[in-house]
Amino acid sequence: MNRPALRLTAVALLMSSTAAFAQTPANPAASDPALQPKPASAATLAAQQAAKASLPAEDGRDADFATRGHLGSLKDPVIRNAKGQAVWNLAAYDWVEGPPPATVNPSLWREVGNLRRQGLFQVTDGVWQVRGFDVSNMTIIRGATGWIVVDPLTTRETAAAALQLVNEKLGQRPVSAVIYSHSHADHFGGVRGITSDADVRAGKTAIIAPAKFMEETASENVMAGAAMGRRATYQFGTSLKPGPQGQMGSGIGMGTSAGEITLITPTDTIERTGETRTVDGVAMEFQIVSGSEAPSELNVYLIPQKTLLSAEMSTCSLHNILTPRGAKVRDTHAWADYLDEALRLYGQRSDIVISSHCWPRFGQSEVTSMLASQRDNYRYLHDQTVRLMNQGETQTEIAERLQQPAELSQQWFNRGYYGTYSHNSKAVYQWYLGWYDGNPANLNPWPPQERGKRYVAAMGGAKKVLATAHKAIDAGDYRWASDLLNQLVFADPANKQARALLADSYEQQGYQAESGIWRNQFLSAARELRQGYIPAEVRTQSNDMIAAVPTQLLMDSMATRYDPAKNARAGQSINLVISDRKETVGLDAGNTVLIARVGQPSVNPAATVTAPRQLMLALLFLKIPVAQLQAMGLKVEGDAAAVSAVQAALDPIPGGFNIVEP
């Protein structure tokens, strides 16, 4: 079984942490002037001026904090993989200087201006960060014998480049320990760029993570990976080039590197808040904050340096309670409580707070004011959403009404560069009440395409919808124009005028957005309406990720692709013997569902398949023919046709799909 095929399997299973960040291929049609981005409209110019007038006073603190301690960067700004392909460009945002262009919200422009600062930065004695080498930061701590690395970025290549910079500037040292702050790929994926299995096995490198790290890393994106991955291309703007009319980062970082995601299993786990470790001579205390930004997450308090690493619980932006790409909703109340706990436990003990995104804040008063203000930000969002929800207001009504108080919005780090009050209030509502707003009109509406046809007919046809939309756009009412035109595009996706006008309305909303990821979604939609959807190139991913997924979870994921109508042998069972893992799986392929039971073989199977896990994945996920796999070592005892029948009933691994059209 060749390795590239298995990498394809890993990508498909963990789509939202892989293809989400792959760049879409160039489209030859993009050279058509009619398909190019448009300038800012008069309404957008006015909106940008109004946004600028409402911003907090500039006191220079963020610019100071974002550049303080800068020690330099790599001479060559382009980071490449083993094949010489570029996976990251440190200079991609060097053009963000001076006053904001009309096509970028002035607040977002300021944020990107600070986020783009890249290189090695000294935080305090014995603590550094590499920033701007990926969407996340790598934190470096000097241990007694080597470097302690917290969050080794997203990919092998950027992590290796970051460590190279550290060793160039500070002197060559081995990596003695790695700490994964949480179970998202941008905080562990580069681990093989800084250490190896051999060093971990030999005890030369310890790997520390929060409890249930491997379980959550494996499970969070598997079931809905394909859908999350496609939606994430909008969230991160992977089809957009950085530029005044294109991608402007993600609000808490820039883009995400296109290299190889890797993973090494932790050797030590932190179970509870208050646990301590002496890691390579450095005394540390940990706070478990699982259930805030990630289902498995910790913060690190560096005792000698009086520095709190608040991994992603507090950053330079309001975060997402529910990411636009899709995920399980996060607990806003718990998030606020964790911030309060951090304030109580570490606020008076910390001279600096750093995070795995953005820049530090220096000074004990800065630490306490940030933790307290962000606590109040999440708590206000939660409490006021619940208050209005209990008065009968719906998600959309609350999102429209709930505004961030001036006391909170005047702190730059509370603003919505990543998450927004609009999106997050809907997430709080969903946490408690789900998607249904209680109105039976919304209980069983027509799906988008049928609904669009009926709306267009009711309004008097396509010409009238277009005329009304034109008036809305001329008036700068892009929200209403988008609503109207969305119905027309779903009713008739071939209507070029509707597509072009809808793209224009999305584009202006993107230009006006303060949130980097709202901007990305609007501009990605505009691009696809003009140029069509072009699937992103599949990026490589190491076998580490797929190896981390428990077999039962793999089997349950496979069952979500089972179409019983396609199984000519429905009602039969087969057994899978995974030889290299010494696991046996009983598969009952019934008339309605496929049930897989690890450790519980079927009593009277029609066939028994024996193979290493790689070949089993090829059978069930890549759907390589049974006969071909038998030539590669897969063994079938009994009726091979029964095995082929189950395989034939499995849908192919989902690829991309349309979002802004049927």
Side-chain angles (χ1 to χ4, degrees):
M1 183 63 184
N2 60 40
R3 186 173 295 271
L6 284 183
R7 283 181 176 162
L8 183 58
T9 304
V11 167
L13 288 171
L14 297 157
M15 188 72 72
S16 66
S17 61
T18 56
F21 308 124
Q23 289 296 318
T24 299
N27 183 354
S31 59
D32 183 345
L35 303 179
Q36 297 305 302
K38 306 289 179 63
S41 67
T44 293
L45 289 169
Q48 308 295 44
Q49 288 299 317
K52 183 178 180 180
S54 70
L55 293 178
E58 182 58 78
D59 57 19
R61 285 183 300 163
D62 284 343
D64 171 25
F65 295 160
T67 56
R68 186 181 296 189
H70 187 244
L71 301 177
S73 190
L74 296 176
K75 293 180 181 178
D76 183 355
V78 180
I79 299 172
R80 302 180 186 277
N81 61 18
K83 296 180 180 179
Q85 300 165 324
V87 300
W88 187 253
N89 183 359
L90 295 167
Y93 298 89
D94 283 355
W95 50 272
V96 182
E97 290 281 5
T103 53
V104 181
N105 181 289
S107 184
L108 178 60
W109 180 261
R110 175 193 183 275
E111 180 81 348
V112 175
N114 289 321
L115 283 172
R116 75 175 183 84
R117 308 298 178 186
Q118 54 84 13
L120 179 65
F121 299 80
Q122 181 162 19
V123 175
T124 188
D125 185 35
V127 182
W128 298 262
Q129 285 191 312
V130 178
R131 301 200 289 269
F133 276 51
D134 215 315
V135 73
S136 51
N137 301 334
M138 178 191 286
T139 299
I140 309 290
I141 304 154
R142 184 197 295 120
T145 65
W147 300 124
I148 303 165
V149 176
V150 184
D151 289 351
L153 307 183
T154 310
T155 62
R156 180 196 295 265
E157 294 85 355
T158 54
L163 184 61
Q164 174 190 334
L165 175 62
V166 170
N167 286 329
E168 283 180 2
K169 297 294 184 182
L170 305 178
Q172 188 84 23
R173 302 182 107 218
V175 172
S176 56
V178 177
I179 300 174
Y180 302 146
S181 69
H182 60 288
S183 52
H184 291 158
D186 53 323
H187 300 270
F188 65 76
V191 65
R192 289 187 186 274
I194 62 170
T195 190
S196 65
D197 276 322
D199 282 352
V200 173
R201 285 195 300 268
K204 295 179 180 179
T205 306
I207 298 187
I208 301 169
K212 298 185 178 180
F213 171 85
M214 290 297 287
E215 176 184 334
E216 296 298 345
T217 294
S219 71
E220 185 176 47
N221 299 322
V222 171
M223 288 294 187
M228 285 185 184
R230 173 66 175 115
R231 287 168 53 145
T233 64
Y234 271 45
Q235 175 169 324
F236 292 100
T238 58
S239 66
L240 307 171
K241 292 182 179 180
Q245 292 174 288
Q247 202 254 21
M248 287 293 298
S250 65
I252 55 172
M254 310 318 297
T256 305
S257 60
E260 181 186 15
I261 296 175
T262 64
L263 177 63
I264 299 177
T265 302
T267 60
D268 186 15
T269 57
I270 306 300
E271 301 284 340
R272 58 180 177 80
T273 294
E275 279 192 48
T276 59
R277 297 284 191 280
T278 299
V279 181
D280 192 17
V282 179
M284 301 180 183
E285 183 177 328
F286 298 90
Q287 180 192 16
I288 293 293
V289 294
S290 300
S292 57
E293 196 271 338
S296 173
E297 186 164 351
L298 57 72
N299 293 332
V300 186
Y301 179 66
L302 304 175
I303 297 173
Q305 292 88 358
K306 295 184 177 180
T307 297
L308 173 63
L309 194 162
S310 177
E312 205 159 340
M313 182 186 69
S314 58
T315 65
C316 58
S317 170
L318 174 67
H319 216 289
N320 278 301
I321 304 304
L322 176 59
T323 63
R325 68 173 170 86
K328 297 175 183 176
V329 186
R330 297 156 183 170
D331 187 343
T332 320
H333 191 282
W335 199 321
D337 283 351
Y338 284 136
L339 283 161
D340 190 58
E341 181 180 65
L343 178 64
R344 290 186 290 103
L345 293 177
Y346 309 113
Q348 299 299 321
R349 300 163 59 191
S350 300
D351 293 334
I352 305 167
V353 61
I354 59 179
S355 72
S356 295
H357 294 278
C358 307
W359 52 89
R361 303 198 77 78
F362 297 91
Q364 194 267 327
S365 63
E366 289 284 350
V367 175
T368 55
S369 64
M370 180 188 194
L371 292 174
S373 188
Q374 291 210 330
R375 172 203 62 197
D376 293 349
N377 201 24
Y378 289 101
R379 192 59 190 264
Y380 182 87
L381 177 66
H382 172 273
D383 290 356
Q384 295 308 307
T385 298
V386 172
R387 181 178 70 85
L388 296 173
M389 178 183 80
N390 282 325
Q391 293 178 3
E393 296 199 27
T394 65
Q395 290 185 54
T396 53
E397 290 168 335
I398 295 170
E400 192 69 16
R401 176 175 171 182
L402 190 60
Q403 299 295 317
Q404 190 177 44
E407 180 179 337
L408 298 174
S409 67
Q410 291 302 299
Q411 296 290 344
W412 293 100
F413 52 66
N414 283 334
R415 298 183 71 88
Y417 301 113
Y418 192 51
T420 68
Y421 258 54
S422 174
H423 198 87
N424 283 340
S425 63
K426 293 175 183 176
V428 175
Y429 186 101
Q430 181 176 327
W431 173 267
Y432 289 104
L433 295 181
W435 63 268
Y436 178 47
D437 63 4
N439 185 337
N442 300 319
L443 186 59
N444 188 31
W446 287 102
Q449 192 167 12
E450 290 301 320
R451 188 181 183 204
K453 291 177 181 177
R454 286 161 172 77
Y455 264 103
V456 171
M459 294 181 65
K463 288 185 178 180
K464 187 157 186 184
V465 173
L466 285 168
T468 306
H470 269 295
K471 289 181 180 178
I473 285 179
D474 290 344
D477 190 352
Y478 301 118
R479 292 171 69 184
W480 175 228
S482 294
D483 196 358
L484 287 168
L485 293 164
N486 182 61
Q487 307 301 333
L488 182 49
V489 167
F490 269 81
D492 180 12
N495 189 317
K496 293 182 179 180
Q497 191 176 358
R499 293 174 71 98
L501 206 57
L502 180 55
D504 291 349
S505 70
Y506 283 152
E507 188 168 64
Q508 297 303 319
Q509 290 175 82
Y511 291 164
Q512 295 178 29
E514 183 178 38
S515 166
I517 59 175
W518 273 42
R519 176 186 177 92
N520 290 338
Q521 291 169 93
F522 281 122
L523 297 188
S524 295
R527 183 185 188 276
E528 288 189 5
L529 284 165
R530 288 169 178 156
Q531 301 181 21
Y533 166 49
I534 303 172
E537 295 175 350
V538 175
R539 73 184 280 180
T540 60
Q541 180 175 11
S542 75
N543 292 327
D544 300 335
M545 294 295 289
I546 195 66
V549 180
T551 299
Q552 185 64 63
L553 182 56
L554 278 175
M555 295 297 108
D556 290 343
S557 173
M558 175 194 65
T560 66
R561 296 167 33 234
Y562 179 65
D563 183 350
K566 296 178 182 177
N567 187 356
R569 300 292 188 91
Q572 292 186 334
S573 299
I574 63 173
N575 284 337
L576 308 177
V577 179
I578 305 174
S579 55
D580 56 337
R581 295 210 174 194
K582 296 181 172 58
E583 294 176 320
T584 301
V585 183
L587 286 184
D588 292 337
N591 294 315
T592 56
V593 296
L594 187 153
I595 302 293
R597 301 181 181 90
V598 176
Q600 299 180 45
S602 301
V603 177
N604 295 306
T608 296
V609 182
T610 302
R613 197 183 205 219
Q614 291 183 350
L615 293 187
M616 288 295 187
L617 293 174
L619 173 73
L620 301 172
F621 289 89
L622 295 183
K623 299 186 65 174
I624 293 176
V626 174
Q628 184 177 338
L629 291 173
Q630 285 178 303
M632 300 168 69
L634 181 138
K635 297 178 182 178
V636 179
E637 299 175 50
D639 186 1
V643 180
S644 295
V646 170
Q647 185 189 59
L650 299 174
D651 286 344
I653 294 173
F657 48 81
N658 288 332
I659 291 178
V660 289
E661 59 181 305

